[in-house]
Every structure is written in C-alpha cells, then in structure tokens.
Amino acid sequence: MAEDRLRLEASWKAVLSDEFEKPYMSTLRSFLLSEKRAGKKIFPPGGEIFSALDLTPLNDVKVVIIGQDPYHGPDQAHGLCFSVRSGIALPPSLVNIFKEISTTCAGGGFDGLHGCLAPWANQGVLLLNAVLTVERGRAASHQGRGWETFTDAVVSVLNEQREHLVFLLWGSYAQKKGAHVDRSRHCVLPAPHPSPLSAHRGFFGCNHFSEANTYLDRQGIEPIDWFDVA
C-alpha cells in the first residue's frame, strides 16, 4: 500500500507506514479481500478497523488496554477493544469492567445503556485489539493471519518511543502481548480477564483503574475519567 493511500492518523502513520509494505501485510490484505469476495461479513467495517489508532494519537496515549479480537455479533465491533456502539447490549466482559470501576473508583456510575468507550479513547486510552478484524459469528476467525504482527509493532512503538504509560494486561493472551514492555519505564498491571469465566479469579478487586490514575497523577499526567462513556 502506497504511503499516500494509507488512511491512518498522522502520528501513527509516521511510525507504522513501513509495516504496510511488508509481505505479511500483503498476505493479510489478500486474505481480507478474498473473504469479502466470498460474501463473508467482516467486522468492524473497513473504515473503523484502525479506530483505536485514529482516536488516540501516539503522543496522547496514557493507558493501553489490549483485547484479543473484535466482537463478532452484528453492530457490536467498531474498532475499540471491549467497546460496543451506543445502544447495543453490553457484552459480559464490559459489564464486569464497569462493575470493577464502580466498586473501586469514586466519581460516578453507569446507566447500563451505553458501552461505547470512545470517550476513553479521546482521553488517551488506547483500546487495542491484538487482531483487528473477525468474520461474523466466528470468534477468533482472523487470528494467525498477520494482525498480531502489526499490533506487536504498535506495542513496540509505545514501549520504545513513549514513557510513563500504563499497560492494563487482562488474561494470558494480553500478558503475552505485553511481555516485552519495559517495566522500568512503564507501569504494567496484569490481572485475569474480565470474562465471566475468569473475572472472579482476580479481575474483581484488581483496582487497575484506580491504580492507573494514581500512577498517572504521580507522573503529573491528567488521570482518566473512567465513568465517561457514551
């Protein structure tokens, strides 16, 4: 993909454009095109695949949350991990995230109707899935196709070019993704995944949201308003 054709937020484009010229990305692009030509529905829509990067420029990132792959139900995925469009029923993991915030953070509450985390992204929370597309109704269907290499590059850029970031790594998959983050330059907080299958094993009570804000405040960085959803 020629650099001038790459639609990506400018600061990310400057550091990631080379990735789009590598063989793995060409293979990934061919795969996605063949899937669409076969009539398969791919989520999120093409214009929202890079929403996490587009909404949170490189130098604005404060917190990094790493998910696995997009929701595969209709109208759910819009390019931000754990987030769904406003008005869509909250997935169980997001319900548990909101429960943890409500329990451990002061300052508000959730009405249960809105699960769009774009306001977090606008505050500096990079909501990055490891895999950026999925086939409708088939969880993990695009794993191993190349997205992991691309998002590894994103994590590497954050690790090397920024400092004093908070990485919230929930579950073994995210923890593996962030295994090489420099703990001397960044705050890395691991916990079990917020899925109902594992949330009671240590996600509830992990205090990640309050700990993230405490760390940011100590660095002189504006904390995140975790109750700000739309």
Side-chain angles (χ1 to χ4, degrees):
M1 180 182 292
E3 185 174 345
D4 60 356
R5 294 174 53 200
L6 175 58
R7 297 180 60 188
L8 191 65
E9 190 277 328
S11 64
W12 286 112
K13 183 176 180 179
V15 296
L16 294 172
S17 59
D18 286 351
E19 296 298 314
F20 290 85
E21 304 299 330
K22 295 181 178 180
Y24 82 86
M25 187 60 74
S26 177
T27 300
L28 173 58
R29 193 179 300 114
S30 295
F31 165 73
L32 292 173
L33 183 59
S34 67
E35 293 290 278
K36 290 179 181 179
R37 285 175 173 169
K40 296 180 180 180
K41 184 70 173 177
I42 306 300
F43 296 140
E48 296 179 330
I49 290 174
F50 298 110
S51 287
L53 303 178
D54 290 334
L55 291 179
T56 313
L58 174 59
N59 289 330
D60 291 349
V61 177
K62 302 177 183 178
V63 177
V64 182
I65 298 177
I66 298 178
Q68 193 159 346
D69 63 343
Y71 296 122
H72 55 84
D75 300 319
Q76 289 183 305
H78 63 119
L80 306 177
C81 72
F82 294 105
S83 177
V84 291
R85 302 177 192 277
S86 294
I88 299 299
L90 304 187
S93 290
L94 186 55
V95 170
N96 287 340
I97 288 170
F98 285 172
K99 284 181 180 177
E100 173 63 14
I101 294 171
S102 297
T103 301
T104 60
C105 296
F110 301 101
D111 59 17
L113 300 176
H114 301 294
C116 178
L117 305 182
W120 290 8
N122 292 330
Q123 292 184 68
V125 182
L126 183 67
L127 296 160
L128 181 70
N129 275 314
V131 176
L132 300 188
T133 58
V134 70
E135 181 184 342
R136 176 175 177 167
R138 294 189 62 220
S141 52
H142 290 185
Q143 289 186 13
R145 295 291 182 171
W147 281 127
E148 294 93 339
T149 301
F150 177 77
T151 52
D152 280 346
V154 173
V155 174
S156 292
V157 166
L158 291 163
N159 180 46
E160 295 166 8
Q161 298 192 17
R162 295 293 315 280
E163 59 181 9
H164 306 315
L165 300 181
V166 181
F167 287 80
L168 304 184
L169 305 179
W170 302 330
S172 59
Y173 189 93
Q175 289 159 26
K176 182 178 179 180
K177 192 82 171 171
H180 299 295
V181 173
D182 185 348
R183 269 67 171 172
S184 70
R185 298 177 64 236
H186 304 287
C187 175
V188 179
L189 300 176
H193 195 277
S195 161
L197 297 175
S198 55
H200 291 280
R201 299 174 190 166
F203 177 79
F204 289 136
C206 69
N207 297 309
H208 277 189
F209 302 98
S210 58
E211 285 190 26
N213 278 351
T214 296
Y215 177 83
L216 293 174
D217 187 60
R218 286 175 179 169
Q219 305 304 321
I221 301 170
E222 182 72 21
I224 305 299
D225 178 2
W226 297 111
F227 293 98
D228 184 11
V229 299

